Amino acid sequence: MLLSSEDAALFFKLMPALQVFANQKLKIIKRLENVEQYQKISDEQRVKLRNAFYQKPDLIDEFVRENPSSFSSDELAIISGWKNFVADDFMIERVLKKYAIFIGNNKVYGVLALTEPFRQVLGGMPLPVYVKTVLLPFKGKIIYDGLIEGYNIFFGHGVASSS
């Protein structure tokens, strides 16, 4: 299942602003000063920034305090909730109608896709698949942060058929 188009638009309004703010503080990507520039950087650069950002989660509180994008209190509450992120390696075990099953750190999560179904995001790779991503709370649901790094690990028929 996907986020509604309204919720996806909200996510893609909030996350880039937070990432740009983090980059201004961490100076990971040169000449990245606004959301329009963020939209043009490569996924590789986004992953580099994202990984550095989640090493400094106090930047979330700083962003909420400063509110450089003049977000509403509801929008800031969503961002503040992202302090409860889970950055890990996950096995995407299966994709159901309502969510995908992510297993990591001895926990199971039901995760919604953002704007494209997980099968499309994963390029049609057969499940289960091992990935690195960040899970975020979002309006009572769990989503991923829009970036999934794949591993070249393939599971044999026994693992696939037992899921």
Side-chain angles (χ1 to χ4, degrees):
M1 178 182 217
L2 301 175
L3 282 179
S4 69
S5 58
E6 296 82 17
D7 282 349
L10 177 59
F11 173 79
F12 286 111
K13 173 185 175 184
L14 303 178
M15 182 54 78
L18 180 59
Q19 293 294 312
V20 168
F21 177 83
N23 188 68
Q24 290 169 346
K25 300 296 181 179
L26 300 173
K27 304 195 184 325
I28 302 297
I29 301 170
K30 294 179 182 177
R31 295 180 294 277
L32 174 58
E33 299 169 11
N34 58 51
V35 171
E36 292 76 24
Q37 292 169 340
Y38 178 84
Q39 303 299 345
K40 296 176 184 175
I41 65 173
S42 69
D43 284 344
E44 183 178 283
Q45 290 174 304
R46 289 179 191 197
V47 167
K48 184 177 178 181
L49 175 56
R50 181 231 5 224
N51 291 344
F53 165 66
Y54 287 113
Q55 296 297 314
K56 303 278 188 184
D58 56 312
L59 287 174
I60 294 172
D61 289 329
E62 194 173 334
F63 180 89
V64 169
R65 259 192 325 274
E66 292 182 22
N67 194 9
S69 300
S70 300
F71 288 150
S72 71
S73 59
D74 288 344
E75 292 167 334
L76 292 174
I78 290 169
I79 293 170
S80 185
W82 292 346
K83 291 183 293 187
N84 298 312
F85 70 89
V86 178
D88 206 346
D89 295 329
F90 299 92
M91 180 179 3
I92 302 177
E93 193 261 341
R94 74 179 78 181
V95 177
L96 304 172
K97 286 183 182 181
K98 293 188 176 188
Y99 46 78
I101 303 293
F102 280 54
I103 301 171
N105 200 20
N106 295 319
K107 294 184 180 177
V108 178
Y109 304 89
V111 181
L112 274 67
L114 302 174
T115 59
E116 299 175 334
F118 278 113
R119 297 241 186 232
Q120 190 173 342
V121 170
L122 298 171
M125 290 183 63
L127 298 177
V129 63
Y130 199 56
V131 300
K132 179 181 190 79
T133 193
V134 177
L135 304 183
L136 300 168
F138 186 84
K139 298 176 79 174
K141 301 171 185 84
I142 301 172
I143 61 172
Y144 74 107
D145 71 347
L147 299 168
I148 291 183
E149 298 175 81
Y151 291 103
N152 286 328
I153 297 173
F154 296 95
F155 297 95
H157 177 70
V159 171
S161 65
S162 70
S163 45

